[in-house]
Short mmCIF file of all heavy atoms in Angstrom, two decimals:
data_model
loop_
_atom_site.label_atom_id
_atom_site.label_comp_id
_atom_site.label_asym_id
_atom_site.label_seq_id
_atom_site.Cartn_x
_atom_site.Cartn_y
_atom_site.Cartn_z
N MET A 64 -53.90 -35.44 66.65
CA MET A 64 -52.60 -36.11 66.73
C MET A 64 -52.80 -37.56 66.73
O MET A 64 -53.53 -38.11 67.45
CB MET A 64 -51.87 -35.61 67.95
CG MET A 64 -50.53 -36.12 68.09
SD MET A 64 -49.73 -35.39 69.59
CE MET A 64 -48.78 -36.67 70.07
N THR A 65 -52.07 -38.22 65.86
CA THR A 65 -52.10 -39.69 65.79
C THR A 65 -51.01 -40.28 66.62
O THR A 65 -49.87 -39.79 66.66
CB THR A 65 -51.90 -40.13 64.31
OG1 THR A 65 -50.70 -39.61 63.81
CG2 THR A 65 -53.13 -39.75 63.50
N LYS A 66 -51.35 -41.34 67.30
CA LYS A 66 -50.40 -42.03 68.16
C LYS A 66 -49.67 -43.10 67.37
O LYS A 66 -50.21 -43.61 66.45
CB LYS A 66 -51.18 -42.72 69.33
CG LYS A 66 -51.91 -41.73 70.17
CD LYS A 66 -50.99 -41.07 71.19
CE LYS A 66 -51.80 -40.27 72.13
NZ LYS A 66 -51.18 -39.08 72.61
N ALA A 67 -48.42 -43.31 67.78
CA ALA A 67 -47.69 -44.29 67.08
C ALA A 67 -48.31 -45.73 67.20
O ALA A 67 -48.25 -46.57 66.25
CB ALA A 67 -46.23 -44.33 67.66
N ALA A 68 -48.89 -46.06 68.36
CA ALA A 68 -49.47 -47.36 68.57
C ALA A 68 -50.65 -47.56 67.53
O ALA A 68 -50.82 -48.66 67.02
CB ALA A 68 -49.96 -47.48 69.97
N GLU A 69 -51.38 -46.47 67.28
CA GLU A 69 -52.51 -46.57 66.37
C GLU A 69 -52.00 -46.84 64.93
O GLU A 69 -52.54 -47.63 64.19
CB GLU A 69 -53.30 -45.30 66.29
CG GLU A 69 -54.03 -44.99 67.62
CD GLU A 69 -54.64 -43.60 67.59
OE1 GLU A 69 -54.75 -43.00 66.57
OE2 GLU A 69 -55.11 -43.17 68.67
N LEU A 70 -50.87 -46.25 64.55
CA LEU A 70 -50.35 -46.31 63.27
C LEU A 70 -49.72 -47.71 63.06
O LEU A 70 -49.80 -48.30 61.96
CB LEU A 70 -49.27 -45.25 63.00
CG LEU A 70 -49.77 -43.83 62.94
CD1 LEU A 70 -48.65 -42.85 62.89
CD2 LEU A 70 -50.66 -43.69 61.67
N ARG A 71 -49.15 -48.31 64.04
CA ARG A 71 -48.55 -49.62 63.98
C ARG A 71 -49.56 -50.66 63.76
O ARG A 71 -49.24 -51.79 63.20
CB ARG A 71 -47.69 -49.94 65.20
CG ARG A 71 -46.44 -49.07 65.40
CD ARG A 71 -45.57 -49.53 66.45
NE ARG A 71 -44.50 -48.62 66.78
CZ ARG A 71 -43.41 -48.36 66.07
NH1 ARG A 71 -43.21 -49.00 64.91
NH2 ARG A 71 -42.56 -47.45 66.40
N GLN A 72 -50.76 -50.51 64.06
CA GLN A 72 -51.85 -51.44 63.89
C GLN A 72 -52.28 -51.49 62.39
O GLN A 72 -52.87 -52.44 62.00
CB GLN A 72 -53.04 -51.16 64.72
CG GLN A 72 -52.77 -51.40 66.23
CD GLN A 72 -53.93 -50.92 67.18
OE1 GLN A 72 -54.83 -50.36 66.63
NE2 GLN A 72 -53.78 -51.16 68.46
N LYS A 73 -52.03 -50.47 61.68
CA LYS A 73 -52.40 -50.39 60.27
C LYS A 73 -51.44 -51.19 59.36
O LYS A 73 -50.27 -51.36 59.69
CB LYS A 73 -52.51 -48.97 59.82
CG LYS A 73 -53.56 -48.17 60.52
CD LYS A 73 -53.64 -46.81 59.91
CE LYS A 73 -54.82 -46.01 60.62
NZ LYS A 73 -55.07 -44.77 59.99
N ASP A 74 -52.00 -51.65 58.16
CA ASP A 74 -51.13 -52.28 57.24
C ASP A 74 -50.49 -51.26 56.36
O ASP A 74 -50.70 -50.06 56.46
CB ASP A 74 -51.88 -53.30 56.40
CG ASP A 74 -53.00 -52.67 55.59
OD1 ASP A 74 -53.47 -51.54 55.99
OD2 ASP A 74 -53.54 -53.29 54.67
N VAL A 75 -49.69 -51.64 55.35
CA VAL A 75 -48.90 -50.79 54.56
C VAL A 75 -49.80 -49.83 53.70
O VAL A 75 -49.64 -48.62 53.66
CB VAL A 75 -47.99 -51.56 53.59
CG1 VAL A 75 -47.29 -50.57 52.57
CG2 VAL A 75 -46.86 -52.27 54.45
N ALA A 76 -50.90 -50.43 53.20
CA ALA A 76 -51.84 -49.63 52.38
C ALA A 76 -52.52 -48.58 53.24
O ALA A 76 -52.75 -47.43 52.83
CB ALA A 76 -52.85 -50.56 51.73
N GLY A 77 -52.89 -48.96 54.46
CA GLY A 77 -53.51 -48.00 55.39
C GLY A 77 -52.61 -46.90 55.80
O GLY A 77 -53.02 -45.82 55.91
N LEU A 78 -51.28 -47.26 55.94
CA LEU A 78 -50.33 -46.16 56.34
C LEU A 78 -50.12 -45.23 55.10
O LEU A 78 -50.01 -44.01 55.34
CB LEU A 78 -48.97 -46.77 56.64
CG LEU A 78 -48.96 -47.39 58.07
CD1 LEU A 78 -47.69 -48.22 58.28
CD2 LEU A 78 -49.01 -46.27 59.18
N GLU A 79 -50.07 -45.77 53.89
CA GLU A 79 -49.97 -44.91 52.76
C GLU A 79 -51.12 -43.91 52.64
O GLU A 79 -50.95 -42.76 52.35
CB GLU A 79 -49.81 -45.74 51.50
CG GLU A 79 -48.45 -46.47 51.35
CD GLU A 79 -48.42 -47.45 50.24
OE1 GLU A 79 -49.46 -47.84 49.70
OE2 GLU A 79 -47.28 -47.83 49.95
N ALA A 80 -52.28 -44.40 52.91
CA ALA A 80 -53.50 -43.56 52.86
C ALA A 80 -53.47 -42.56 53.96
O ALA A 80 -53.79 -41.40 53.76
CB ALA A 80 -54.76 -44.47 52.98
N GLU A 81 -52.95 -42.94 55.08
CA GLU A 81 -52.89 -41.99 56.20
C GLU A 81 -51.87 -40.89 55.88
O GLU A 81 -52.11 -39.69 56.16
CB GLU A 81 -52.35 -42.76 57.49
CG GLU A 81 -52.25 -41.88 58.76
CD GLU A 81 -53.61 -41.59 59.37
OE1 GLU A 81 -54.60 -42.30 59.12
OE2 GLU A 81 -53.59 -40.58 60.12
N VAL A 82 -50.72 -41.23 55.26
CA VAL A 82 -49.70 -40.20 54.88
C VAL A 82 -50.31 -39.24 53.86
O VAL A 82 -50.15 -38.03 54.04
CB VAL A 82 -48.43 -40.84 54.36
CG1 VAL A 82 -47.57 -39.86 53.67
CG2 VAL A 82 -47.68 -41.63 55.42
N LYS A 83 -51.02 -39.77 52.91
CA LYS A 83 -51.67 -38.93 51.91
C LYS A 83 -52.67 -37.89 52.49
O LYS A 83 -52.68 -36.82 52.13
CB LYS A 83 -52.33 -39.82 50.81
CG LYS A 83 -52.75 -39.08 49.62
CD LYS A 83 -53.28 -40.01 48.53
CE LYS A 83 -52.13 -40.40 47.66
NZ LYS A 83 -52.53 -41.13 46.47
N GLU A 84 -53.49 -38.48 53.47
CA GLU A 84 -54.51 -37.66 54.12
C GLU A 84 -53.74 -36.57 55.02
O GLU A 84 -54.23 -35.43 54.91
CB GLU A 84 -55.28 -38.54 55.03
CG GLU A 84 -56.42 -37.83 55.76
CD GLU A 84 -57.18 -38.82 56.65
OE1 GLU A 84 -57.37 -39.92 56.26
OE2 GLU A 84 -57.52 -38.36 57.80
N LEU A 85 -52.69 -36.93 55.69
CA LEU A 85 -52.07 -35.92 56.49
C LEU A 85 -51.36 -34.84 55.65
O LEU A 85 -51.33 -33.65 55.96
CB LEU A 85 -50.92 -36.56 57.30
CG LEU A 85 -51.46 -37.39 58.53
CD1 LEU A 85 -50.41 -38.25 59.15
CD2 LEU A 85 -52.06 -36.45 59.58
N GLN A 86 -50.83 -35.29 54.42
CA GLN A 86 -50.21 -34.31 53.55
C GLN A 86 -51.24 -33.26 53.02
O GLN A 86 -50.96 -32.16 52.83
CB GLN A 86 -49.43 -35.00 52.46
CG GLN A 86 -48.18 -35.61 52.85
CD GLN A 86 -47.51 -36.45 51.82
OE1 GLN A 86 -48.08 -36.96 50.92
NE2 GLN A 86 -46.14 -36.56 51.92
N LYS A 87 -52.47 -33.79 52.71
CA LYS A 87 -53.56 -32.96 52.24
C LYS A 87 -53.88 -31.91 53.37
O LYS A 87 -54.06 -30.73 53.14
CB LYS A 87 -54.81 -33.81 51.94
CG LYS A 87 -54.95 -34.09 50.47
CD LYS A 87 -56.30 -34.72 50.27
CE LYS A 87 -56.41 -35.20 48.85
NZ LYS A 87 -57.65 -35.97 48.56
N ALA A 88 -53.99 -32.36 54.62
CA ALA A 88 -54.37 -31.54 55.68
C ALA A 88 -53.29 -30.56 55.86
O ALA A 88 -53.53 -29.31 56.13
CB ALA A 88 -54.52 -32.38 56.96
N HIS A 89 -52.00 -30.90 55.76
CA HIS A 89 -50.89 -29.99 55.94
C HIS A 89 -50.88 -28.91 54.89
O HIS A 89 -50.70 -27.73 55.08
CB HIS A 89 -49.50 -30.73 55.95
CG HIS A 89 -48.41 -29.89 56.33
ND1 HIS A 89 -48.24 -29.31 57.54
CD2 HIS A 89 -47.33 -29.51 55.53
CE1 HIS A 89 -47.12 -28.63 57.53
NE2 HIS A 89 -46.53 -28.68 56.34
N PHE A 90 -51.22 -29.32 53.62
CA PHE A 90 -51.25 -28.37 52.54
C PHE A 90 -52.36 -27.37 52.78
O PHE A 90 -52.18 -26.12 52.60
CB PHE A 90 -51.57 -29.12 51.24
CG PHE A 90 -51.69 -28.24 50.03
CD1 PHE A 90 -50.54 -27.64 49.51
CD2 PHE A 90 -52.89 -27.91 49.54
CE1 PHE A 90 -50.65 -26.76 48.35
CE2 PHE A 90 -52.99 -27.03 48.44
CZ PHE A 90 -51.82 -26.50 47.86
N GLY A 91 -53.49 -27.85 53.31
CA GLY A 91 -54.62 -26.94 53.62
C GLY A 91 -54.22 -25.86 54.63
O GLY A 91 -54.58 -24.75 54.55
N LEU A 92 -53.52 -26.35 55.67
CA LEU A 92 -53.05 -25.49 56.68
C LEU A 92 -52.09 -24.43 56.17
O LEU A 92 -52.12 -23.32 56.58
CB LEU A 92 -52.46 -26.30 57.91
CG LEU A 92 -53.38 -27.16 58.71
CD1 LEU A 92 -52.61 -27.96 59.67
CD2 LEU A 92 -54.42 -26.26 59.43
N ARG A 93 -51.16 -24.89 55.26
CA ARG A 93 -50.29 -23.97 54.74
C ARG A 93 -50.91 -22.85 53.89
O ARG A 93 -50.57 -21.68 53.92
CB ARG A 93 -49.22 -24.72 53.85
CG ARG A 93 -48.20 -25.48 54.64
CD ARG A 93 -47.02 -26.06 53.89
NE ARG A 93 -47.05 -25.89 52.37
CZ ARG A 93 -47.14 -26.95 51.53
NH1 ARG A 93 -47.16 -28.17 51.97
NH2 ARG A 93 -47.08 -26.69 50.28
N MET A 94 -51.94 -23.31 53.14
CA MET A 94 -52.70 -22.30 52.42
C MET A 94 -53.42 -21.30 53.29
O MET A 94 -53.53 -20.15 53.04
CB MET A 94 -53.77 -22.98 51.49
CG MET A 94 -53.11 -23.80 50.27
SD MET A 94 -52.07 -22.74 49.28
CE MET A 94 -50.42 -23.31 49.72
N GLN A 95 -53.98 -21.80 54.43
CA GLN A 95 -54.61 -20.93 55.39
C GLN A 95 -53.66 -19.96 55.97
O GLN A 95 -53.97 -18.70 56.17
CB GLN A 95 -55.28 -21.76 56.55
CG GLN A 95 -56.51 -22.46 56.12
CD GLN A 95 -57.09 -23.17 57.27
OE1 GLN A 95 -56.66 -23.02 58.45
NE2 GLN A 95 -58.09 -24.02 57.01
N LYS A 96 -52.42 -20.42 56.22
CA LYS A 96 -51.40 -19.58 56.73
C LYS A 96 -51.03 -18.47 55.76
O LYS A 96 -50.80 -17.28 56.10
CB LYS A 96 -50.11 -20.37 57.12
CG LYS A 96 -49.06 -19.50 57.82
CD LYS A 96 -47.89 -20.32 58.21
CE LYS A 96 -46.88 -19.44 58.98
NZ LYS A 96 -45.58 -19.48 58.36
N ALA A 97 -50.91 -18.88 54.45
CA ALA A 97 -50.52 -17.93 53.44
C ALA A 97 -51.58 -16.82 53.28
O ALA A 97 -51.23 -15.68 52.94
CB ALA A 97 -50.37 -18.68 52.15
N THR A 98 -52.83 -17.18 53.46
CA THR A 98 -53.88 -16.15 53.31
C THR A 98 -54.24 -15.58 54.68
O THR A 98 -55.28 -14.87 54.74
CB THR A 98 -55.17 -16.84 52.68
OG1 THR A 98 -55.61 -17.91 53.54
CG2 THR A 98 -54.86 -17.33 51.30
N GLN A 99 -53.41 -15.83 55.62
CA GLN A 99 -53.57 -15.21 57.00
C GLN A 99 -54.98 -15.62 57.69
O GLN A 99 -55.61 -14.81 58.35
CB GLN A 99 -53.36 -13.76 57.03
CG GLN A 99 -51.99 -13.37 56.54
CD GLN A 99 -51.78 -11.93 56.48
OE1 GLN A 99 -52.70 -11.09 56.60
NE2 GLN A 99 -50.49 -11.48 56.34
N GLN A 100 -55.38 -16.79 57.43
CA GLN A 100 -56.67 -17.30 58.04
C GLN A 100 -56.34 -18.28 59.13
O GLN A 100 -57.27 -18.71 59.88
CB GLN A 100 -57.54 -18.01 56.98
CG GLN A 100 -58.01 -17.04 55.90
CD GLN A 100 -58.72 -17.79 54.78
OE1 GLN A 100 -58.62 -18.99 54.69
NE2 GLN A 100 -59.50 -17.04 53.96
N LEU A 101 -55.10 -18.69 59.29
CA LEU A 101 -54.79 -19.69 60.33
C LEU A 101 -54.58 -19.01 61.69
O LEU A 101 -53.60 -18.17 61.80
CB LEU A 101 -53.50 -20.43 59.79
CG LEU A 101 -53.07 -21.65 60.72
CD1 LEU A 101 -54.19 -22.73 60.68
CD2 LEU A 101 -51.79 -22.25 60.14
N ASN A 102 -55.29 -19.41 62.65
CA ASN A 102 -55.13 -18.85 64.00
C ASN A 102 -54.06 -19.62 64.80
O ASN A 102 -53.23 -19.01 65.52
CB ASN A 102 -56.45 -18.87 64.79
CG ASN A 102 -57.48 -17.97 64.13
OD1 ASN A 102 -57.13 -16.94 63.56
ND2 ASN A 102 -58.72 -18.31 64.21
N ASN A 103 -54.14 -20.95 64.70
CA ASN A 103 -53.22 -21.80 65.48
C ASN A 103 -52.10 -22.25 64.60
O ASN A 103 -52.20 -23.34 63.94
CB ASN A 103 -54.05 -22.94 66.05
CG ASN A 103 -53.18 -23.87 66.95
OD1 ASN A 103 -52.04 -23.54 67.20
ND2 ASN A 103 -53.74 -25.00 67.32
N THR A 104 -51.00 -21.56 64.58
CA THR A 104 -49.82 -21.92 63.75
C THR A 104 -49.17 -23.21 64.22
O THR A 104 -48.46 -23.82 63.50
CB THR A 104 -48.91 -20.79 63.57
OG1 THR A 104 -48.45 -20.47 64.89
CG2 THR A 104 -49.47 -19.62 62.87
N GLY A 105 -49.37 -23.58 65.44
CA GLY A 105 -48.83 -24.76 65.99
C GLY A 105 -49.29 -26.06 65.31
O GLY A 105 -48.68 -27.04 65.39
N SER A 106 -50.50 -25.94 64.74
CA SER A 106 -51.08 -27.08 64.06
C SER A 106 -50.16 -27.53 62.92
O SER A 106 -50.15 -28.66 62.49
CB SER A 106 -52.46 -26.79 63.62
OG SER A 106 -52.51 -25.73 62.76
N LEU A 107 -49.50 -26.59 62.25
CA LEU A 107 -48.57 -26.94 61.18
C LEU A 107 -47.49 -27.89 61.66
O LEU A 107 -47.14 -28.85 61.06
CB LEU A 107 -47.91 -25.67 60.57
CG LEU A 107 -48.80 -24.84 59.67
CD1 LEU A 107 -48.09 -23.47 59.46
CD2 LEU A 107 -48.98 -25.56 58.40
N ARG A 108 -46.90 -27.52 62.86
CA ARG A 108 -45.86 -28.37 63.45
C ARG A 108 -46.38 -29.75 63.78
O ARG A 108 -45.74 -30.74 63.54
CB ARG A 108 -45.32 -27.64 64.69
CG ARG A 108 -44.27 -28.43 65.43
CD ARG A 108 -43.85 -27.61 66.65
NE ARG A 108 -42.92 -28.31 67.52
CZ ARG A 108 -42.50 -27.89 68.60
NH1 ARG A 108 -42.97 -26.79 69.15
NH2 ARG A 108 -41.60 -28.53 69.29
N VAL A 109 -47.63 -29.81 64.31
CA VAL A 109 -48.18 -31.08 64.68
C VAL A 109 -48.42 -32.00 63.48
O VAL A 109 -48.09 -33.18 63.52
CB VAL A 109 -49.53 -30.86 65.45
CG1 VAL A 109 -50.25 -32.15 65.67
CG2 VAL A 109 -49.28 -30.17 66.82
N THR A 110 -48.99 -31.45 62.45
CA THR A 110 -49.24 -32.24 61.24
C THR A 110 -47.88 -32.71 60.55
O THR A 110 -47.79 -33.77 60.08
CB THR A 110 -50.10 -31.53 60.22
OG1 THR A 110 -49.57 -30.23 59.88
CG2 THR A 110 -51.50 -31.29 60.75
N ARG A 111 -46.92 -31.85 60.56
CA ARG A 111 -45.65 -32.17 60.00
C ARG A 111 -45.03 -33.34 60.75
O ARG A 111 -44.50 -34.28 60.13
CB ARG A 111 -44.67 -30.95 60.07
CG ARG A 111 -43.51 -31.13 59.16
CD ARG A 111 -42.69 -29.83 59.01
NE ARG A 111 -42.24 -29.38 60.34
CZ ARG A 111 -42.63 -28.15 60.84
NH1 ARG A 111 -43.44 -27.36 60.28
NH2 ARG A 111 -42.10 -27.80 62.10
N ARG A 112 -45.16 -33.37 62.06
CA ARG A 112 -44.60 -34.44 62.84
C ARG A 112 -45.45 -35.72 62.73
O ARG A 112 -44.90 -36.83 62.77
CB ARG A 112 -44.54 -34.01 64.37
CG ARG A 112 -43.44 -32.98 64.55
CD ARG A 112 -43.23 -32.65 65.99
NE ARG A 112 -42.10 -31.74 66.08
CZ ARG A 112 -41.48 -31.36 67.18
NH1 ARG A 112 -42.00 -31.82 68.32
NH2 ARG A 112 -40.52 -30.58 67.23
N ASP A 113 -46.74 -35.55 62.60
CA ASP A 113 -47.55 -36.71 62.35
C ASP A 113 -47.24 -37.38 60.98
O ASP A 113 -47.14 -38.64 60.86
CB ASP A 113 -49.11 -36.36 62.25
CG ASP A 113 -49.60 -36.05 63.66
OD1 ASP A 113 -48.94 -36.49 64.63
OD2 ASP A 113 -50.69 -35.44 63.79
N ILE A 114 -46.90 -36.60 59.98
CA ILE A 114 -46.49 -37.16 58.72
C ILE A 114 -45.19 -37.91 58.87
O ILE A 114 -45.06 -39.02 58.38
CB ILE A 114 -46.31 -36.00 57.65
CG1 ILE A 114 -47.68 -35.41 57.29
CG2 ILE A 114 -45.62 -36.53 56.34
CD1 ILE A 114 -47.63 -34.09 56.50
N ALA A 115 -44.28 -37.30 59.57
CA ALA A 115 -42.95 -37.94 59.80
C ALA A 115 -43.08 -39.27 60.52
O ALA A 115 -42.49 -40.30 60.23
CB ALA A 115 -42.02 -37.02 60.47
N ARG A 116 -43.94 -39.22 61.57
CA ARG A 116 -44.28 -40.48 62.32
C ARG A 116 -44.81 -41.56 61.51
O ARG A 116 -44.39 -42.73 61.55
CB ARG A 116 -45.25 -40.11 63.52
CG ARG A 116 -45.38 -41.18 64.55
CD ARG A 116 -46.30 -40.75 65.62
NE ARG A 116 -45.64 -39.61 66.39
CZ ARG A 116 -46.10 -38.37 66.48
NH1 ARG A 116 -47.29 -38.08 65.85
NH2 ARG A 116 -45.46 -37.48 67.15
N ALA A 117 -45.77 -41.20 60.63
CA ALA A 117 -46.42 -42.15 59.74
C ALA A 117 -45.44 -42.79 58.75
O ALA A 117 -45.42 -43.91 58.50
CB ALA A 117 -47.61 -41.58 59.10
N LYS A 118 -44.61 -41.84 58.19
CA LYS A 118 -43.64 -42.28 57.19
C LYS A 118 -42.54 -43.21 57.83
O LYS A 118 -42.07 -44.15 57.18
CB LYS A 118 -42.93 -41.07 56.53
CG LYS A 118 -43.78 -40.38 55.52
CD LYS A 118 -43.03 -39.26 54.82
CE LYS A 118 -43.71 -38.70 53.60
NZ LYS A 118 -42.88 -37.72 52.94
N THR A 119 -42.16 -42.91 59.02
CA THR A 119 -41.23 -43.77 59.71
C THR A 119 -41.72 -45.16 59.93
O THR A 119 -41.08 -46.16 59.67
CB THR A 119 -40.80 -43.14 61.09
OG1 THR A 119 -40.25 -41.78 60.85
CG2 THR A 119 -39.85 -43.97 61.80
N ILE A 120 -42.99 -45.20 60.41
CA ILE A 120 -43.58 -46.49 60.69
C ILE A 120 -43.77 -47.30 59.37
O ILE A 120 -43.55 -48.51 59.27
CB ILE A 120 -44.81 -46.39 61.46
CG1 ILE A 120 -44.48 -45.87 62.89
CG2 ILE A 120 -45.64 -47.70 61.54
CD1 ILE A 120 -45.68 -45.50 63.72
N LEU A 121 -44.13 -46.52 58.31
CA LEU A 121 -44.31 -47.17 57.01
C LEU A 121 -42.95 -47.72 56.53
O LEU A 121 -42.92 -48.89 55.98
CB LEU A 121 -44.86 -46.12 56.04
CG LEU A 121 -45.06 -46.55 54.57
CD1 LEU A 121 -46.11 -47.64 54.47
CD2 LEU A 121 -45.54 -45.35 53.76
N ALA A 122 -41.90 -47.01 56.66
CA ALA A 122 -40.58 -47.48 56.21
C ALA A 122 -40.22 -48.76 57.10
O ALA A 122 -39.64 -49.68 56.50
CB ALA A 122 -39.51 -46.38 56.42
N GLN A 123 -40.50 -48.74 58.31
CA GLN A 123 -40.15 -49.91 59.16
C GLN A 123 -40.94 -51.11 58.68
O GLN A 123 -40.40 -52.22 58.63
CB GLN A 123 -40.50 -49.62 60.63
CG GLN A 123 -39.53 -48.64 61.24
CD GLN A 123 -40.04 -48.19 62.69
OE1 GLN A 123 -41.12 -48.53 63.09
NE2 GLN A 123 -39.20 -47.46 63.38
N LYS A 124 -42.24 -50.97 58.39
CA LYS A 124 -43.08 -52.02 57.96
C LYS A 124 -42.58 -52.66 56.61
O LYS A 124 -42.54 -53.79 56.42
CB LYS A 124 -44.50 -51.67 57.87
CG LYS A 124 -45.14 -51.44 59.22
CD LYS A 124 -46.64 -51.82 59.13
CE LYS A 124 -47.19 -51.60 60.55
NZ LYS A 124 -47.98 -52.62 60.94
N ARG A 125 -42.18 -51.70 55.70
CA ARG A 125 -41.59 -52.14 54.36
C ARG A 125 -40.32 -52.89 54.59
O ARG A 125 -40.08 -53.86 53.85
CB ARG A 125 -41.43 -50.90 53.47
CG ARG A 125 -42.70 -50.39 52.92
CD ARG A 125 -42.50 -49.25 51.94
NE ARG A 125 -43.77 -48.90 51.31
CZ ARG A 125 -43.98 -47.74 50.86
NH1 ARG A 125 -42.98 -46.76 50.87
NH2 ARG A 125 -45.16 -47.39 50.31
N ALA A 126 -39.50 -52.44 55.55
CA ALA A 126 -38.20 -53.11 55.77
C ALA A 126 -38.45 -54.51 56.39
O ALA A 126 -37.75 -55.45 56.04
CB ALA A 126 -37.38 -52.24 56.78
N GLU A 127 -39.45 -54.59 57.27
CA GLU A 127 -39.77 -55.93 57.87
C GLU A 127 -40.20 -56.86 56.75
O GLU A 127 -39.85 -58.06 56.75
CB GLU A 127 -40.89 -55.80 58.89
CG GLU A 127 -40.54 -55.17 60.21
CD GLU A 127 -41.77 -55.05 61.13
OE1 GLU A 127 -42.83 -55.48 60.74
OE2 GLU A 127 -41.60 -54.31 62.14
N LYS A 128 -41.09 -56.35 55.83
CA LYS A 128 -41.61 -57.16 54.74
C LYS A 128 -40.49 -57.68 53.87
O LYS A 128 -40.51 -58.85 53.52
CB LYS A 128 -42.59 -56.33 53.95
CG LYS A 128 -43.40 -57.04 52.99
CD LYS A 128 -44.44 -56.02 52.40
CE LYS A 128 -45.37 -56.79 51.45
NZ LYS A 128 -46.29 -55.86 50.75
N THR A 129 -39.51 -56.84 53.50
CA THR A 129 -38.44 -57.30 52.62
C THR A 129 -37.46 -58.15 53.37
O THR A 129 -36.88 -59.07 52.80
CB THR A 129 -37.69 -56.08 52.03
OG1 THR A 129 -37.22 -55.25 53.05
CG2 THR A 129 -38.53 -55.29 51.09
N ALA A 130 -37.30 -58.01 54.73
CA ALA A 130 -36.34 -58.81 55.52
C ALA A 130 -36.88 -60.22 55.66
O ALA A 130 -36.15 -61.17 55.79
CB ALA A 130 -36.10 -58.15 56.85
N SER A 131 -38.19 -60.32 55.73
CA SER A 131 -38.87 -61.64 55.91
C SER A 131 -38.83 -62.51 54.67
O SER A 131 -39.15 -63.70 54.78
CB SER A 131 -40.27 -61.44 56.51
OG SER A 131 -41.11 -60.83 55.55
N LYS A 132 -38.62 -61.89 53.53
CA LYS A 132 -38.61 -62.65 52.30
C LYS A 132 -37.28 -63.45 52.10
O LYS A 132 -36.34 -63.27 52.61
CB LYS A 132 -38.73 -61.74 51.10
CG LYS A 132 -40.21 -61.27 50.98
CD LYS A 132 -40.46 -60.43 49.75
CE LYS A 132 -41.88 -60.05 49.62
NZ LYS A 132 -42.15 -59.23 48.41
#
């Protein structure tokens, strides 16, 4: 689980990479669930929320960037 404070320290490129990495992990978990190999289904919820958290902070940083121009 990624903390919001850790994500806020990253720049826009770092956040985009984090979102991409989390989406890959979530896809892998979904495939495991589809093939009935996933034991902990709660991890799907955690990764989905991590993606949302990262996307929210990314949107805030982009808004700050455009507001400061």
Side-chain angles (χ1 to χ4, degrees):
M64 184 174 144
T65 53
K66 301 277 186 214
E69 294 172 13
L70 292 172
R71 290 191 194 284
Q72 293 173 354
K73 295 186 178 189
D74 60 340
V75 173
L78 283 169
E79 288 171 347
E81 183 76 19
V82 168
K83 191 174 269 192
E84 181 183 321
L85 286 168
Q86 286 175 332
K87 262 188 190 177
H89 187 66
F90 179 78
L92 290 172
R93 286 190 355 242
M94 290 302 108
Q95 286 181 12
K96 183 178 184 234
T98 58
Q99 298 179 348
Q100 295 174 341
L101 186 63
N102 295 328
N103 182 8
T104 56
S106 58
L107 283 167
R108 178 180 177 188
V109 171
T110 54
R111 194 171 60 243
R112 289 186 176 190
D113 285 344
I114 291 168
R116 190 176 296 116
K118 281 186 171 183
T119 300
I120 293 171
L121 179 60
Q123 289 172 351
K124 289 210 179 227
R125 284 184 175 155
E127 285 175 10
K128 194 175 180 182
T129 56
S131 64
K132 286 185 179 179

